[in-house]
Amino acid sequence: MSAAASSTTAPQGTTRELLTLAGPLMLSNLAYTVVGLTDTLLMGRLGVVEVGAVGFAHMCLLTLVLLFRGSLNTAATFVARSLGAGDEAGVRRWASVFLGCGLVGVPLALVGPWLLDALFALLRPDPSITAVARAYVGIRVWEVPALLLGSAALAVMVGLGNTRTPMRLAWLVMVVNAALAVLFVFGLGWGVAGAAWASVIAVTLQNGLALWLLGRLHGPRFGRFWPARPTRTELGSLGRVSLPAGLTELAEVSAFTVFQGVISRLGPTELAASQIANQLASLGFLPAFALSSATGSLLSRALGAGRADIAARIGWRGTGLAAAFMGVLGVLFLTLPETLIGLFNRSPEVLALGAGVLAVMAAYQILDGVAIVLGGALGGAGDTRFRLIVTLVGAWLVMVLGATLLAPRYGVAGAWAAALVFIAFAAVAYAVRFASGRWVRARL
């Protein structure tokens, strides 16, 4: 590509450019967080067991889909790389390939109930939690086909630099879920099942619209997007980049699911305190994951345009912004722990335990921002196998094993201390890898 062509497709790596792309994604993540907060608040009105069980069930559902959803999210990397290179046919082809891969959600939903039952048997939570969680997740599994197809469509939009449409769809989910949840849970008296059905309807609506809007908004420029079967060469790229990315998300979230399982054995009160604290911590993920997606997309586009220097600038700038945002949240966790926990549950036991968990979380907020964004930057470069290695070692050997050893002696705060060590390990590993520049040579 000529220098002139490169200058028209490469991003500049400015703070404004990052925030312009990340801003709508932050609002998208806020909407998803509000969905989780809504469910937690509603379940808090039903009881402590329901709070912990619904959060635990949600983690199990994520474990089921994340290998596939994490792989599909790399559509943003491939599409952005083609866009940066000025290859419109490549944009259309990769979008179609990822939509074709998204059809895996249909068989996954059919076998999902048996897989989730096996996961419950493996984790062995408290029997009172198991009964509620099984009822909830047995309904939520039916949203999986729409979720995976929609995830591919939304990732393509992010790769094209369109983050406003995903934002609007995320807020649609929030409004529909909240309205239906109140109606189903309290108006019709469906309890936990009502919250599950509200989520299924909202998620299916969102992702159906995502598929339609992808074609309507971007089809005129790039042509028709239609599910396609990957070629042997494309399968090689998917195996080299997308599969490790999906395995990374699966490894991290499944480790966190097991981690929550360890906490659930301490009792419903400990699990409820942990779940509430984790919902509050998810507020920090708003800027971090938004900046991670924006950083990865812009970095991939810069590499497609042959500008590794701009790509490096994008990675470090996104990291600094995330660290600043999450540092503010850490201060709030240290200064207002009982006030924050009390928004969800006023039980003295939950308040005391939750405040202890927030103190541990406050210690790793900045490190978490560094790990999330630099992990996204490495993913945007296609260096996904390194992320997988760090996650397997850190999440399982450090966090899960550490929590298993510390929780019986030090309770729920001891378990979260193991998570702190994992996050610190990941932040240092990603920073060293990015500084080395080896990610520039990663091949899609």
Side-chain angles (χ1 to χ4, degrees), residues 93-141:
R93 176 62 190 174
W94 279 116
S96 299
V97 165
F98 276 95
L99 289 175
C101 293
L103 294 173
V104 72
V106 176
L108 185 61
L110 295 176
V111 301
W114 288 275
L115 294 175
L116 290 165
D117 278 345
L119 186 57
F120 286 155
L122 176 67
L123 297 177
R124 296 181 290 111
D126 184 275
S128 62
I129 293 171
T130 300
V132 177
R134 181 175 282 118
Y136 179 82
V137 81
I139 297 169
R140 289 289 306 271
V141 74

Side-chain angles (χ1 to χ4, degrees), residues 180-248:
L180 292 179
V182 171
L183 173 64
F184 293 166
V185 173
F186 299 112
L188 300 179
W190 291 359
V192 168
W197 279 116
S199 295
V200 168
I201 294 170
V203 168
T204 301
L205 176 63
Q206 175 209 23
N207 290 286
L209 286 172
L211 286 167
W212 178 68
L213 288 170
L214 175 64
R216 181 175 179 84
L217 297 175
H218 300 288
R221 175 180 176 184
F222 298 103
R224 185 183 186 188
F225 299 111
W226 193 253
R229 179 183 300 176
T231 64
R232 180 174 298 181
T233 300
E234 290 164 345
L235 280 174
S237 294
L238 294 173
R240 188 167 51 250
V241 176
S242 301
L243 182 59
L247 288 171
T248 297

Side-chain angles (χ1 to χ4, degrees), residues 270-359:
E270 287 81 357
L271 183 60
S274 179
Q275 172 64 16
I276 291 170
N278 195 47
Q279 285 290 343
L280 290 167
S282 66
L283 294 173
F285 300 156
L286 302 180
F289 280 115
L291 284 164
S292 177
S293 296
T295 299
S297 177
L298 289 173
L299 184 147
S300 183
R301 197 191 311 172
L303 290 177
R307 295 300 304 272
D309 57 327
I310 293 178
R313 183 193 312 159
I314 290 168
W316 289 122
R317 189 156 294 178
T319 301
L321 289 170
F325 279 123
M326 294 190 73
V328 173
L329 188 64
V331 172
L332 292 176
F333 285 176
L334 281 177
T335 56
L336 300 170
E338 292 192 359
T339 300
L340 294 172
I341 297 293
L343 295 173
F344 299 89
N345 192 286
R346 299 298 302 176
S347 165
E349 294 83 4
V350 172
L351 286 173
L353 290 171
V357 173
L358 285 184

Side-chain angles (χ1 to χ4, degrees), residues 1-292:
M1 176 179 292
S2 69
S6 175
S7 67
T8 62
T9 54
Q12 299 304 306
T14 63
T15 299
R16 179 177 181 179
E17 192 173 35
L18 270 169
L19 291 177
T20 298
L21 192 60
L25 291 174
M26 291 184 196
L27 294 175
S28 297
N29 292 341
L30 175 61
Y32 291 128
T33 300
V34 171
V35 170
L37 291 172
T38 299
D39 286 348
T40 303
L41 286 168
L42 293 177
M43 294 303 100
R45 301 300 182 266
L46 296 179
V48 171
V49 171
E50 286 80 1
V51 171
V54 167
F56 180 71
H58 182 65
M59 290 304 304
C60 290
L61 183 65
L62 278 178
T63 302
L64 176 69
V65 303
L66 264 181
L67 169 63
F68 307 98
R69 198 177 79 177
S71 298
L72 292 170
N73 283 341
T74 61
T77 296
F78 287 88
V79 167
R81 191 68 57 91
S82 295
L83 184 65
D87 181 9
E88 294 192 358
V91 169
R92 181 176 64 254
R93 176 62 190 174
W94 279 116
S96 299
V97 165
F98 276 95
L99 289 175
C101 293
L103 294 173
V104 72
V106 176
L108 185 61
L110 295 176
V111 301
W114 288 275
L115 294 175
L116 290 165
D117 278 345
L119 186 57
F120 286 155
L122 176 67
L123 297 177
R124 296 181 290 111
D126 184 275
S128 62
I129 293 171
T130 300
V132 177
R134 181 175 282 118
Y136 179 82
V137 81
I139 297 169
R140 289 289 306 271
V141 74
W142 297 111
E143 73 194 39
V144 169
L147 174 68
L148 293 185
L149 271 172
S151 294
L154 292 168
V156 170
M157 291 184 194
V158 172
L160 293 173
N162 177 5
T163 56
R164 292 183 178 275
T165 299
M167 175 194 70
R168 295 185 181 105
L169 291 173
W171 280 94
L172 175 66
V173 168
M174 187 273 291
V175 173
V176 172
N177 179 76
L180 292 179
V182 171
L183 173 64
F184 293 166
V185 173
F186 299 112
L188 300 179
W190 291 359
V192 168
W197 279 116
S199 295
V200 168
I201 294 170
V203 168
T204 301
L205 176 63
Q206 175 209 23
N207 290 286
L209 286 172
L211 286 167
W212 178 68
L213 288 170
L214 175 64
R216 181 175 179 84
L217 297 175
H218 300 288
R221 175 180 176 184
F222 298 103
R224 185 183 186 188
F225 299 111
W226 193 253
R229 179 183 300 176
T231 64
R232 180 174 298 181
T233 300
E234 290 164 345
L235 280 174
S237 294
L238 294 173
R240 188 167 51 250
V241 176
S242 301
L243 182 59
L247 288 171
T248 297
E249 293 208 22
L250 174 63
E252 189 166 37
V253 174
S254 61
F256 193 73
T257 301
V258 175
F259 172 81
Q260 289 284 67
V262 171
I263 294 175
S264 73
R265 293 173 202 157
L266 299 174
T269 302
E270 287 81 357
L271 183 60
S274 179
Q275 172 64 16
I276 291 170
N278 195 47
Q279 285 290 343
L280 290 167
S282 66
L283 294 173
F285 300 156
L286 302 180
F289 280 115
L291 284 164
S292 177

